[in-house]
Amino acid sequence: MPSISEQSVETLPAAAPAVRFDPAAPPVIVARDVWVGFLIRYHRAEVTLRETFVRMLDRFRRNGDGDGRWSQRFWALRGISLEVRPGEVVGIVGRNGSGKSTLLRTLAGILTADRGHVAVRGKVGCLMSFGVGFKPNLSGRENVFINGSILGLSRREVAERLDKIIDFAGLREFIDAPVRTYSAGMKGRLGFSIAVHIDPDILLLDEVLTVGDAAFRAKAGSILDRFKDAGKTVVIASHSMQLIRESCTRAVWLDRGELRMNAEPDAVCDAYEQECGK
């Protein structure tokens, strides 16, 4: 069982421009034996002062993993090792609770690994879920500027990209309405449009390409192809086997926090679907 605070994380210099996928190119994402845990706390019944000290000593003997009654450490990721190279589109599949979102958040730097090594090279754009980071009482236009600045763009750079962001999201007539009036699909489309138009080297997406109508999904698919052709890197977590098969160059199957399979998309999807059908 890993101990706490043994993580090594670094941000590498930006990658040089690349064309298509080169298996010999140095990886832009490296994860080595990554463990991420969450402490789950339970309701405490009334206890005596003596019992409190006994449980505290027991927790210290467990190296901070909880006392077994008041709390318990749940390991969402267990020893994940993964490399992703420029030009790859990697799909992550797995049941709910398997660690897909936790892995993406760790690669994005949102979560800190308890143990292991994570290195990312280049500018990262990420969209973890619908509407995260949006201010509901502000308009879509105002939220574009706020999110663009959070992602590292100046106000002038956001203004230069604004029309493309709005048109790609298909929200021209709604862009000045408060985001609280948007549907989940509209928020997802706007968030995705912002993420891809900051021109990232690495794009991390968590189950967002299923939003919108067929026309928007087709546009999103063309963007992924364009990223791949430009030597950029995309990592997608999705329950859509069709998306994984059609858009990804490789797939990873997570099962209860462990890497169960890392192979061609068709092979991974076939194995995963067979397991889910049991």
Side-chain angles (χ1 to χ4, degrees):
M1 182 66 66
S3 60
I4 309 302
S5 301
E6 296 178 357
Q7 178 193 6
S8 173
V9 178
E10 61 177 296
T11 301
L12 303 177
V19 178
R20 301 290 292 179
F21 168 59
D22 180 4
V28 292
I29 296 175
V30 177
R32 291 276 184 267
D33 191 29
V34 173
W35 291 71
V36 176
F38 300 97
L39 192 63
I40 303 174
R41 300 185 182 277
Y42 303 102
H43 175 71
R44 299 186 180 188
E46 294 295 329
V47 294
T48 64
L49 182 61
R50 179 178 179 276
E51 187 175 354
T52 298
F53 281 113
V54 170
R55 292 187 179 184
M56 289 177 61
L57 291 173
D58 187 47
R59 185 172 68 248
F60 289 137
R61 287 196 297 268
R62 292 170 180 266
N63 198 25
D65 281 349
D67 63 7
R69 292 181 61 185
W70 286 350
S71 61
Q72 179 180 358
R73 184 164 294 279
F74 171 75
W75 293 103
L77 296 180
R78 299 170 174 268
I80 298 295
S81 294
L82 181 69
E83 291 186 354
V84 185
R85 288 175 167 75
E88 281 198 282
V89 179
V90 178
I92 305 176
V93 303
R95 299 177 186 269
N96 290 331
S98 62
K100 302 187 299 298
S101 296
T102 301
L103 177 57
L104 286 179
R105 283 169 167 77
T106 304
L107 297 180
I110 298 172
L111 294 178
T112 301
D114 296 300
R115 177 184 177 183
H117 174 87
V118 177
V120 177
R121 180 173 60 197
K123 182 192 295 185
V124 177
C126 61
L127 184 58
M128 295 292 108
S129 61
F130 307 139
V132 171
F134 286 149
K135 303 296 183 182
N137 292 324
L138 298 182
S139 69
R141 187 186 304 272
E142 292 168 321
N143 273 284
V144 170
F145 279 96
I146 291 173
N147 279 265
S149 64
I150 291 173
L151 294 171
L153 298 181
S154 67
R155 184 174 182 83
R156 178 181 59 81
E157 289 172 323
V158 175
E160 291 173 350
R161 295 166 168 81
L162 183 61
D163 285 337
K164 292 181 179 179
I165 291 172
I166 295 171
D167 291 338
F168 185 86
L171 296 174
R172 175 67 64 179
E173 60 183 306
F174 305 106
I175 196 62
D176 291 309
V179 166
R180 69 172 184 272
T181 65
Y182 288 13
S183 67
M186 293 167 70
K187 293 175 184 177
R189 282 153 48 193
L190 185 58
F192 179 74
S193 186
I194 295 170
V196 299
H197 282 93
I198 68 167
D199 193 28
D201 301 304
I202 300 167
L203 184 60
L204 307 176
L205 303 171
D206 188 3
E207 196 62 64
V208 295
L209 294 187
T210 55
V211 303
D213 54 20
F216 177 79
R217 290 196 297 271
K219 286 197 296 184
S222 68
I223 285 290
L224 295 184
D225 291 337
R226 193 183 311 167
F227 269 52
K228 184 166 53 177
D229 291 342
K232 297 178 182 292
T233 302
V234 183
V235 183
I236 311 170
S238 180
H239 290 290
S240 172
M241 296 302 103
Q242 180 180 356
L243 173 66
I244 300 297
R245 292 178 189 273
E246 294 178 354
S247 300
C248 297
T249 58
R250 181 158 56 100
V252 171
W253 177 7
L254 295 185
D255 185 19
R256 299 179 182 178
E258 298 181 348
L259 199 159
R260 181 160 173 179
M261 192 173 181
N262 182 357
E264 295 293 322
D266 286 337
V268 172
C269 291
D270 288 343
Y272 175 64
E273 289 176 329
Q274 183 178 5
E275 176 75 13
C276 291
K278 290 182 180 179

